[in-house]
Amino acid sequence: MNWEDVRTLRKAGQLQKALDMAREILAAAPEDFKTRSQYEWVIFDYIKRIVVNMDEALEKKRPIDGRNVENLMAWMDEYHSLEPSVPEMVCSNILAQLVKIGKDLPKFPGIIHWVGIDGLRHEDWQPREYQGQISPSLAITIARTLCKWVKARPKASKKQMAFALEWAKRVGDRSKDTDLCWLHWDMAVLLRQMGDFQHAAELLASVIKTKRNEFWVWAEAGRLYQSEQPELALACFCRALECPAEPKFLVRAHRELAELLAVQEEYAQASQEVAITIDIRQDEGWPIGREMEVLIASPWYDPAAEGAETPKDFYSKHSTAALSLCFDIVETRAANYLGLLIPHTPKDPRPGWKPKPLSRFAIKDSKGHAWSLVGPAMKNLKFEVGTPLTLVIGRQNGDDRQTIVHVSVRKDGQQWDSLDSGVGVITSEATADKSIKVLIVESGEEVKIDGSSGKSLHIGDGVQCGFARNPKSNRMDVFNVERRELPEKDVKRVIGQLRRNPKGFGFVEDAFAPPHIVESIDPSIDEVVALAVYAKNPAKGEYGWRVFELNAA
C-alpha cells in the first residue's frame, strides 16, 4: 500500500477509499510527501464536485445549499491542516475551482489572504488558452472575484474593500494579460463605492474607450459623476439609454436618471423616466420596489409628464457631452482653483437661456508654464480661490482639448503653486468704468486685474503676482496680487520733453510712451514728468524703458 495505490483509487473515482488509504499511510509515515500530494489531490476532487453542484444552482438562479458551503470549507480546513506547499499545482487548481463560486463563498477573501499573491505559480499569471479561446489568467480571475465579492456585499468593511483593491492593483501591475479592461471596470466600481472618485475616473475612462457602445459603462459613469458634475452625469445616463439593450437591462438607468432630473428640478422629464420605469417593471412582472415608491410619492411626480420632451429627443440633446469621456490619454495634474467664470451672454440667446458658471483652474505644462483651464461648474466645489488641487484630465490623440474628469484637494500642495510668478507695476487705477491695470516687467504686457485684488493699490506701486495664460488667446490672467517694492534700477522718474510721433506714440528721453499714455495729456503740453519702468517690449522682445504715467511738468 503506497501513494501509487492512492492515485489509482482517486483516478478511478473511488475518492473515499483513496482518502482512507492516504490517511492510513500518513499516520504511519508522516513524511511521505508523495502520499501527502495524492491526499491533496483527493481533496481537490471533492472540492471540484461541490463546486459543480453550487455552480449549477447559480446558473439556474437557485439559492446555494448552505450544506455545500459548509462541506467545501471543511475540505479547505483539511487541506490547510496538511500544511501544503504553496505555490503548487494542487493549490492553483483548487483556486481555479473556487473562483467559479467565490462571489457567493463567505470566506473567499480569507482563503485568498492565506494563499497570498506569492502563492501563485508563474503559469497562473499567464492568459489561458483552450480550444483556440483566450481567457484571463488565474491571477486576474482571482482579483476580479474579490472585487465582485465586495460589490455583492453592501456592508463590506473598508478593510475588505482595501484588500480587494490592493490585490487587484498588484495583479494588474504584474499580470501578463494584454486586456485589463474588465479588471479596471471592477476596480472603478469599487473605488466609486469607497469614495475615491479620482482613481475611479481614471480607470473608468479606459473602460469607456473600449466599451463605448455598452449601456452599463455609461450608467456607471453617470453614478460616478452625479455628485460633483451633475450635467456630465446627465449626459452619461442619456448615452446609456441610447445604447442597444433590452428594456429590462435599462430599468435601473431610467430610475437613476429620474432621480438626477428631480434634483435638477426637471420635474416633467423626471416624471417621464419614472413612468418608463414603471412600465418596464410591470412588463417583467417585477415589484415596483422601494426606490420607485419614493419617487411615485414625490409631490412633483406627474404620470402624464406634461411638457416633457420625447425620450429620444431628450437623450439625443444631452448625450453628446458624454462622448468627451472616450479619452485616449488620461493624466493627473497639479492645479490651483481660480474661481468661477461667468460666460458672456450670446448675441442671440435662446429663450430661457441662463449663464452657467464655469470652473477655472491653473495648471502647468511640461515646460513649467502656467495655463488656465476651464471646465463645467462642479456642484461640490467649495474651495477658496488659490486652493491646491489635483485634476484628472482626459484628451484625445491629436486634439489639444482637455476635459476635466475629476477634482480633489492636493494635501501636499501650496496656495497658488501652479501659477507663474512675476513682478509688475500698477499703471492705472480703477474707476467706475475702468479696471486697474498692472504692467508685467518680464513680459511687458499690461493686464487688467479684478478690483478685489487691486484694492489700495496706486499708480507706480510695485506688485508681486501670479499669472496663467489662456490657451486659446494666449491672454495673461493675473491673480494673487500683493504689494512689493520694485528695485530702484527698474523704475525711474523722468523730467523732460514729450516727443510725439505722428503714429501716436512718443518718447521722454529714452523712455517709450505708448499711444494711450500720450493721449492722457493735453496736446499743448510738451514738458512732462514721466514715470517709467524697465520692461520687455512685447512686440520686439527687447527690454527698454516704458512710460506708464505722464503729468505736466
Side-chain angles (χ1 to χ4, degrees):
M1 185 172 65
N2 58 28
W3 68 272
E4 292 177 314
D5 298 319
V6 177
R7 182 179 65 180
T8 300
L9 289 169
R10 183 179 71 83
K11 288 186 175 292
Q14 300 181 51
L15 298 187
Q16 188 59 52
K17 289 184 178 181
L19 184 65
D20 293 339
M21 185 178 292
R23 287 170 173 168
E24 186 177 346
I25 294 172
L26 287 176
E31 303 303 320
D32 186 343
F33 71 91
K34 289 186 177 181
T35 298
R36 185 180 299 274
S37 176
Q38 289 304 311
Y39 190 170
E40 293 171 7
W41 279 111
V42 171
I43 292 175
F44 162 76
D45 286 336
Y46 272 114
I47 289 174
K48 184 176 180 180
R49 288 183 179 182
I50 296 172
V51 169
V52 168
N53 291 334
M54 295 175 68
D55 204 24
E56 286 179 355
L58 291 172
E59 287 183 3
K60 295 177 181 179
K61 297 183 178 180
R62 296 201 308 259
I64 290 176
D65 189 334
R67 290 172 297 181
N68 280 328
V69 175
E70 291 177 6
N71 290 337
L72 189 149
M73 291 310 302
W75 286 116
M76 284 303 303
D77 289 340
E78 188 159 348
Y79 175 67
H80 182 265
S81 70
L82 295 176
E83 299 182 356
S85 177
V86 176
E88 185 57 72
M89 183 181 291
V90 182
C91 182
S92 296
N93 276 267
I94 289 175
L95 291 176
Q97 292 299 312
L98 295 182
V99 293
K100 297 177 182 179
I101 45 86
K103 179 173 72 73
D104 300 282
L105 193 62
K107 295 186 178 180
F108 181 74
I111 294 170
I112 301 305
H113 183 270
W114 167 69
V115 173
I117 205 162
D118 294 326
L120 300 181
R121 301 173 302 148
H122 172 75
E123 295 88 342
D124 299 332
W125 294 93
Q126 311 300 319
R128 294 169 288 182
E129 183 175 356
Y130 179 70
Q131 295 182 346
Q133 298 293 319
I134 303 295
S135 58
S137 65
L138 178 59
I140 289 287
T141 307
I142 292 171
R144 291 200 63 205
T145 305
L146 281 170
C147 291
K148 292 175 182 177
W149 187 95
V150 172
K151 287 189 289 182
R153 290 163 175 78
K155 295 184 179 180
S157 67
K158 292 286 186 182
K159 185 177 181 181
Q160 289 168 327
M161 290 184 180
F163 173 69
L165 282 170
E166 177 63 20
W167 243 85
K169 183 180 183 303
R170 293 179 66 185
V171 166
D173 292 341
R174 289 177 55 178
S175 173
K176 302 301 180 183
D177 295 73
T178 56
D179 185 3
L180 298 178
C181 174
W182 292 111
L183 179 63
H184 289 165
W185 163 253
D186 290 324
M187 293 174 68
V189 175
L190 201 54
L191 285 163
R192 175 182 61 80
Q193 291 178 345
M194 292 185 69
D196 189 347
F197 299 115
Q198 175 183 331
H199 291 105
E202 292 174 5
L203 291 172
L204 189 60
S206 67
V207 181
I208 289 175
K209 189 173 183 299
T210 57
K211 302 292 182 182
R212 64 182 68 188
N213 293 322
E214 302 288 349
F215 79 90
W216 43 265
V217 71
W218 291 112
E220 180 60 27
R223 295 174 198 120
L224 177 63
Y225 296 117
Q226 64 184 344
S227 63
E228 293 187 354
Q229 300 190 61
E231 292 295 331
L232 181 56
L234 172 64
C236 290
F237 280 125
C238 288
R239 179 66 189 132
L241 296 171
E242 287 183 324
C243 293
E246 293 182 49
K248 64 181 180 180
F249 296 126
L250 299 174
V251 67
R252 181 183 175 188
H254 282 295
R255 173 180 60 79
E256 291 173 323
L257 176 56
E259 292 169 341
L260 180 60
L261 289 168
V263 171
Q264 297 179 351
E265 299 183 357
E266 297 278 355
Y267 296 134
Q269 214 66 44
S271 294
Q272 182 161 256
E273 292 301 317
V274 172
I276 292 172
T277 308
I278 292 172
D279 289 343
I280 295 173
R281 299 192 76 88
Q282 289 178 340
D283 289 344
E284 297 295 331
W286 298 338
I288 291 298
R290 183 176 301 174
E291 296 96 339
M292 287 300 299
E293 289 175 353
V294 172
L295 292 175
I296 293 170
S298 300
W300 51 261
Y301 174 57
D302 173 15
E306 292 187 12
E309 298 179 59
T310 65
K312 183 177 180 181
D313 290 343
F314 182 78
Y315 303 155
S316 176
K317 183 168 75 175
H318 292 279
S319 65
T320 306
L323 297 177
S324 65
L325 295 177
C326 301
F327 304 119
D328 292 314
I329 300 168
V330 178
E331 55 190 356
T332 301
R333 304 283 289 277
N336 290 126
Y337 182 53
L338 300 182
L340 292 176
L341 183 68
I342 307 299
H344 294 295
T345 304
K347 291 183 179 179
D348 298 309
R350 59 177 173 79
W353 181 88
K354 294 181 181 179
K356 292 185 177 180
L358 301 173
S359 300
R360 188 160 54 156
F361 308 89
I363 61 172
K364 284 194 174 183
D365 62 19
S366 58
K367 296 181 181 179
H369 301 309
W371 299 91
S372 61
L373 184 63
V374 174
M378 299 183 184
K379 186 176 180 181
N380 293 331
L381 285 193
K382 298 180 180 178
F383 310 123
E384 293 183 2
V385 174
T387 298
L389 304 171
T390 296
L391 303 187
V392 179
I393 298 172
R395 57 188 174 89
Q396 306 288 2
N397 287 328
D399 191 340
D400 292 334
R401 288 178 298 177
Q402 301 181 92
T403 300
I404 298 170
V405 178
H406 182 70
V407 180
S408 58
V409 174
R410 179 163 46 91
K411 295 181 179 179
D412 59 348
Q414 301 293 324
Q415 292 280 103
W416 306 109
D417 60 0
S418 292
L419 292 176
D420 288 331
S421 180
V423 175
V425 60
I426 300 301
T427 57
S428 69
E429 297 178 19
T431 63
D433 57 348
K434 290 184 180 180
S435 300
I436 190 169
K437 290 184 179 180
V438 58
L439 188 146
I440 306 300
V441 172
E442 186 176 352
S443 68
E445 294 168 273
E446 196 171 28
V447 185
K448 294 179 181 179
I449 59 178
D450 66 64
S452 61
S453 296
K455 286 181 180 178
S456 76
L457 292 174
H458 304 286
I459 292 176
D461 285 346
V463 293
Q464 179 81 37
C465 56
F467 58 86
R469 292 190 178 275
N470 183 310
K472 292 183 178 179
S473 64
N474 203 42
R475 184 190 71 242
M476 179 186 289
D477 295 318
V478 174
F479 306 90
N480 192 35
V481 179
E482 297 179 350
R483 190 194 306 271
R484 62 154 287 173
E485 293 297 323
L486 285 175
E488 291 184 7
K489 64 183 182 66
D490 288 341
V491 178
K492 69 178 180 179
R493 186 168 180 266
V494 184
I495 301 175
Q497 186 178 34
L498 172 62
R499 306 191 308 278
R500 292 181 172 85
N501 186 285
K503 294 184 178 180
F505 61 85
F507 284 91
V508 182
E509 294 187 357
D510 62 345
F512 171 77
H516 71 279
I517 295 294
V518 175
E519 293 171 0
S520 68
I521 196 165
D522 191 283
S524 63
I525 297 175
D526 293 326
E527 295 298 321
V528 296
V529 177
L531 287 178
V533 61
Y534 192 72
K536 188 176 183 179
N537 184 321
K540 297 181 178 180
E542 300 172 349
Y543 281 84
W545 289 100
R546 178 170 173 171
V547 175
F548 59 85
E549 184 182 31
L550 276 179
N551 289 294

Short mmCIF file of all heavy atoms in Angstrom, two decimals, residues 386-420:
data_model
loop_
_atom_site.label_atom_id
_atom_site.label_comp_id
_atom_site.label_asym_id
_atom_site.label_seq_id
_atom_site.Cartn_x
_atom_site.Cartn_y
_atom_site.Cartn_z
N GLY A 386 -7.33 79.80 -5.13
CA GLY A 386 -5.92 79.54 -4.85
C GLY A 386 -5.65 78.17 -4.25
O GLY A 386 -4.50 77.75 -4.16
N THR A 387 -6.71 77.45 -3.84
CA THR A 387 -6.54 76.15 -3.20
C THR A 387 -5.78 75.17 -4.10
O THR A 387 -6.09 75.06 -5.29
CB THR A 387 -7.92 75.54 -2.85
OG1 THR A 387 -8.59 76.40 -1.94
CG2 THR A 387 -7.77 74.16 -2.24
N PRO A 388 -4.78 74.47 -3.57
CA PRO A 388 -4.06 73.45 -4.38
C PRO A 388 -4.95 72.24 -4.61
O PRO A 388 -5.54 71.70 -3.67
CB PRO A 388 -2.84 73.11 -3.52
CG PRO A 388 -3.24 73.44 -2.12
CD PRO A 388 -4.19 74.59 -2.22
N LEU A 389 -5.05 71.80 -5.85
CA LEU A 389 -5.92 70.70 -6.23
C LEU A 389 -5.18 69.69 -7.09
O LEU A 389 -4.09 69.96 -7.60
CB LEU A 389 -7.13 71.23 -7.04
CG LEU A 389 -8.00 72.30 -6.38
CD1 LEU A 389 -8.99 72.86 -7.39
CD2 LEU A 389 -8.71 71.74 -5.17
N THR A 390 -5.81 68.55 -7.27
CA THR A 390 -5.38 67.56 -8.26
C THR A 390 -6.51 67.39 -9.27
O THR A 390 -7.65 67.17 -8.89
CB THR A 390 -5.07 66.21 -7.60
OG1 THR A 390 -3.97 66.36 -6.70
CG2 THR A 390 -4.71 65.16 -8.64
N LEU A 391 -6.18 67.53 -10.56
CA LEU A 391 -7.16 67.34 -11.62
C LEU A 391 -6.86 66.05 -12.36
O LEU A 391 -5.70 65.73 -12.63
CB LEU A 391 -7.12 68.49 -12.63
CG LEU A 391 -7.33 69.91 -12.14
CD1 LEU A 391 -7.41 70.84 -13.35
CD2 LEU A 391 -8.57 70.04 -11.30
N VAL A 392 -7.91 65.29 -12.67
CA VAL A 392 -7.79 64.19 -13.62
C VAL A 392 -8.30 64.73 -14.95
O VAL A 392 -9.43 65.19 -15.06
CB VAL A 392 -8.62 62.97 -13.18
CG1 VAL A 392 -8.50 61.85 -14.21
CG2 VAL A 392 -8.15 62.49 -11.82
N ILE A 393 -7.43 64.69 -15.96
CA ILE A 393 -7.73 65.32 -17.26
C ILE A 393 -7.67 64.27 -18.36
O ILE A 393 -6.76 63.44 -18.39
CB ILE A 393 -6.71 66.44 -17.55
CG1 ILE A 393 -6.83 67.53 -16.48
CG2 ILE A 393 -6.92 67.02 -18.93
CD1 ILE A 393 -5.75 68.58 -16.56
N GLY A 394 -8.64 64.29 -19.23
CA GLY A 394 -8.67 63.38 -20.37
C GLY A 394 -8.55 64.13 -21.67
O GLY A 394 -9.01 65.28 -21.79
N ARG A 395 -7.92 63.52 -22.67
CA ARG A 395 -7.82 64.13 -24.00
C ARG A 395 -7.62 63.06 -25.06
O ARG A 395 -7.24 61.93 -24.76
CB ARG A 395 -6.70 65.17 -24.05
CG ARG A 395 -5.33 64.66 -23.69
CD ARG A 395 -4.34 65.82 -23.58
NE ARG A 395 -3.05 65.39 -23.08
CZ ARG A 395 -2.06 64.96 -23.86
NH1 ARG A 395 -2.22 64.91 -25.18
NH2 ARG A 395 -0.90 64.58 -23.35
N GLN A 396 -7.89 63.43 -26.29
CA GLN A 396 -7.76 62.52 -27.42
C GLN A 396 -6.42 62.75 -28.10
O GLN A 396 -5.89 63.87 -28.10
CB GLN A 396 -8.89 62.75 -28.44
CG GLN A 396 -10.29 62.66 -27.85
CD GLN A 396 -10.68 61.24 -27.51
OE1 GLN A 396 -9.91 60.31 -27.66
NE2 GLN A 396 -11.89 61.07 -27.02
N ASN A 397 -5.90 61.71 -28.73
CA ASN A 397 -4.69 61.87 -29.53
C ASN A 397 -4.96 62.86 -30.66
O ASN A 397 -5.99 62.80 -31.33
CB ASN A 397 -4.26 60.52 -30.13
CG ASN A 397 -3.65 59.61 -29.09
OD1 ASN A 397 -3.01 60.08 -28.14
ND2 ASN A 397 -3.83 58.31 -29.24
N GLY A 398 -4.02 63.78 -30.86
CA GLY A 398 -4.16 64.75 -31.93
C GLY A 398 -5.11 65.88 -31.64
O GLY A 398 -5.43 66.68 -32.52
N ASP A 399 -5.59 65.97 -30.42
CA ASP A 399 -6.55 67.01 -30.04
C ASP A 399 -6.05 67.70 -28.78
O ASP A 399 -5.77 67.05 -27.78
CB ASP A 399 -7.93 66.39 -29.80
CG ASP A 399 -9.03 67.45 -29.67
OD1 ASP A 399 -8.69 68.61 -29.39
OD2 ASP A 399 -10.20 67.09 -29.84
N ASP A 400 -5.91 69.02 -28.83
CA ASP A 400 -5.38 69.76 -27.69
C ASP A 400 -6.42 70.01 -26.60
O ASP A 400 -6.07 70.44 -25.50
CB ASP A 400 -4.84 71.12 -28.16
CG ASP A 400 -3.59 70.97 -29.02
OD1 ASP A 400 -2.90 69.95 -28.86
OD2 ASP A 400 -3.33 71.85 -29.86
N ARG A 401 -7.69 69.74 -26.91
CA ARG A 401 -8.73 69.99 -25.90
C ARG A 401 -8.55 69.05 -24.71
O ARG A 401 -8.30 67.87 -24.86
CB ARG A 401 -10.11 69.80 -26.51
CG ARG A 401 -10.52 70.90 -27.46
CD ARG A 401 -11.88 70.61 -28.06
NE ARG A 401 -11.85 69.38 -28.85
CZ ARG A 401 -12.92 68.87 -29.44
NH1 ARG A 401 -14.10 69.45 -29.31
NH2 ARG A 401 -12.82 67.75 -30.15
N GLN A 402 -8.71 69.63 -23.53
CA GLN A 402 -8.57 68.87 -22.29
C GLN A 402 -9.89 68.91 -21.52
O GLN A 402 -10.47 69.98 -21.33
CB GLN A 402 -7.45 69.45 -21.43
CG GLN A 402 -6.09 69.46 -22.14
CD GLN A 402 -5.00 70.01 -21.25
OE1 GLN A 402 -4.33 69.28 -20.54
NE2 GLN A 402 -4.82 71.31 -21.29
N THR A 403 -10.35 67.75 -21.09
CA THR A 403 -11.60 67.64 -20.36
C THR A 403 -11.30 67.29 -18.91
O THR A 403 -10.59 66.32 -18.62
CB THR A 403 -12.50 66.56 -20.98
OG1 THR A 403 -12.79 66.92 -22.34
CG2 THR A 403 -13.81 66.45 -20.21
N ILE A 404 -11.84 68.08 -18.00
CA ILE A 404 -11.65 67.82 -16.58
C ILE A 404 -12.61 66.73 -16.15
O ILE A 404 -13.82 66.87 -16.25
CB ILE A 404 -11.88 69.09 -15.75
CG1 ILE A 404 -10.85 70.16 -16.17
CG2 ILE A 404 -11.76 68.80 -14.26
CD1 ILE A 404 -11.15 71.53 -15.59
N VAL A 405 -12.04 65.63 -15.67
CA VAL A 405 -12.83 64.47 -15.28
C VAL A 405 -13.13 64.47 -13.79
O VAL A 405 -14.21 64.10 -13.36
CB VAL A 405 -12.10 63.17 -15.69
CG1 VAL A 405 -12.88 61.95 -15.24
CG2 VAL A 405 -11.87 63.13 -17.19
N HIS A 406 -12.16 64.90 -12.99
CA HIS A 406 -12.36 64.87 -11.53
C HIS A 406 -11.45 65.90 -10.88
O HIS A 406 -10.36 66.22 -11.38
CB HIS A 406 -12.05 63.49 -10.98
CG HIS A 406 -12.27 63.39 -9.51
ND1 HIS A 406 -13.51 63.41 -8.93
CD2 HIS A 406 -11.39 63.30 -8.47
CE1 HIS A 406 -13.40 63.33 -7.62
NE2 HIS A 406 -12.14 63.26 -7.32
N VAL A 407 -11.91 66.42 -9.73
CA VAL A 407 -11.17 67.41 -8.96
C VAL A 407 -11.11 66.97 -7.51
O VAL A 407 -12.12 66.54 -6.95
CB VAL A 407 -11.85 68.79 -9.04
CG1 VAL A 407 -11.06 69.82 -8.24
CG2 VAL A 407 -12.01 69.24 -10.48
N SER A 408 -9.93 67.06 -6.91
CA SER A 408 -9.80 66.74 -5.48
C SER A 408 -8.72 67.63 -4.87
O SER A 408 -7.86 68.17 -5.58
CB SER A 408 -9.44 65.26 -5.28
OG SER A 408 -8.24 64.94 -5.94
N VAL A 409 -8.76 67.78 -3.56
CA VAL A 409 -7.79 68.62 -2.86
C VAL A 409 -6.42 67.94 -2.87
O VAL A 409 -6.30 66.73 -2.68
CB VAL A 409 -8.23 68.86 -1.41
CG1 VAL A 409 -7.15 69.61 -0.63
CG2 VAL A 409 -9.54 69.65 -1.39
N ARG A 410 -5.38 68.73 -3.13
CA ARG A 410 -4.00 68.23 -3.12
C ARG A 410 -3.37 68.63 -1.78
O ARG A 410 -2.94 69.76 -1.58
CB ARG A 410 -3.24 68.83 -4.31
CG ARG A 410 -1.79 68.42 -4.43
CD ARG A 410 -1.26 68.72 -5.83
NE ARG A 410 -1.65 70.04 -6.28
CZ ARG A 410 -0.92 71.15 -6.10
NH1 ARG A 410 0.24 71.07 -5.48
NH2 ARG A 410 -1.35 72.32 -6.56
N LYS A 411 -3.31 67.68 -0.88
CA LYS A 411 -2.94 67.98 0.50
C LYS A 411 -1.48 68.41 0.65
O LYS A 411 -1.13 69.12 1.60
CB LYS A 411 -3.22 66.77 1.39
CG LYS A 411 -4.71 66.44 1.48
CD LYS A 411 -4.97 65.25 2.38
CE LYS A 411 -6.46 64.96 2.47
NZ LYS A 411 -6.75 63.79 3.34
N ASP A 412 -0.62 67.98 -0.27
CA ASP A 412 0.80 68.34 -0.14
C ASP A 412 1.13 69.60 -0.93
O ASP A 412 2.30 69.94 -1.09
CB ASP A 412 1.69 67.19 -0.61
CG ASP A 412 1.43 66.80 -2.06
OD1 ASP A 412 0.41 67.26 -2.62
OD2 ASP A 412 2.24 66.05 -2.63
N GLY A 413 0.11 70.30 -1.45
CA GLY A 413 0.35 71.48 -2.26
C GLY A 413 0.31 72.77 -1.46
O GLY A 413 0.00 72.79 -0.26
N GLN A 414 0.61 73.87 -2.15
CA GLN A 414 0.62 75.20 -1.55
C GLN A 414 -0.33 76.11 -2.33
O GLN A 414 -0.58 75.90 -3.51
CB GLN A 414 2.04 75.80 -1.57
CG GLN A 414 3.08 74.99 -0.83
CD GLN A 414 2.84 74.94 0.65
OE1 GLN A 414 2.39 75.94 1.24
NE2 GLN A 414 3.13 73.82 1.29
N GLN A 415 -0.85 77.14 -1.64
CA GLN A 415 -1.70 78.12 -2.31
C GLN A 415 -0.96 78.70 -3.52
O GLN A 415 0.21 79.07 -3.43
CB GLN A 415 -2.05 79.25 -1.35
CG GLN A 415 -2.97 78.84 -0.20
CD GLN A 415 -4.41 78.75 -0.62
OE1 GLN A 415 -4.93 77.67 -0.82
NE2 GLN A 415 -5.05 79.89 -0.76
N TRP A 416 -1.63 78.74 -4.65
CA TRP A 416 -1.14 79.40 -5.87
C TRP A 416 0.13 78.78 -6.45
O TRP A 416 0.82 79.41 -7.24
CB TRP A 416 -0.87 80.89 -5.61
CG TRP A 416 -2.02 81.64 -5.03
CD1 TRP A 416 -2.14 82.13 -3.78
CD2 TRP A 416 -3.23 82.02 -5.72
NE1 TRP A 416 -3.34 82.76 -3.60
CE2 TRP A 416 -4.04 82.71 -4.79
CE3 TRP A 416 -3.70 81.82 -7.02
CZ2 TRP A 416 -5.29 83.22 -5.12
CZ3 TRP A 416 -4.95 82.34 -7.35
CH2 TRP A 416 -5.72 83.02 -6.41
N ASP A 417 0.45 77.53 -6.09
CA ASP A 417 1.72 76.96 -6.55
C ASP A 417 1.72 76.51 -8.01
O ASP A 417 2.76 76.09 -8.53
CB ASP A 417 2.16 75.80 -5.64
CG ASP A 417 1.15 74.65 -5.62
OD1 ASP A 417 0.11 74.75 -6.29
OD2 ASP A 417 1.41 73.66 -4.91
N SER A 418 0.56 76.60 -8.69
CA SER A 418 0.54 76.22 -10.11
C SER A 418 0.50 77.45 -11.03
O SER A 418 0.25 77.33 -12.23
CB SER A 418 -0.68 75.33 -10.40
OG SER A 418 -0.54 74.08 -9.76
N LEU A 419 0.75 78.61 -10.47
CA LEU A 419 0.83 79.84 -11.27
C LEU A 419 2.27 80.20 -11.55
O LEU A 419 3.18 79.86 -10.78
CB LEU A 419 0.17 81.00 -10.53
CG LEU A 419 -1.36 80.96 -10.33
CD1 LEU A 419 -1.78 82.15 -9.49
CD2 LEU A 419 -2.09 80.94 -11.65
N ASP A 420 2.50 80.90 -12.65
CA ASP A 420 3.79 81.55 -12.87
C ASP A 420 3.85 82.78 -11.97
O ASP A 420 2.82 83.37 -11.63
CB ASP A 420 3.94 81.98 -14.33
CG ASP A 420 4.15 80.79 -15.25
OD1 ASP A 420 4.71 79.78 -14.79
OD2 ASP A 420 3.75 80.86 -16.42
#
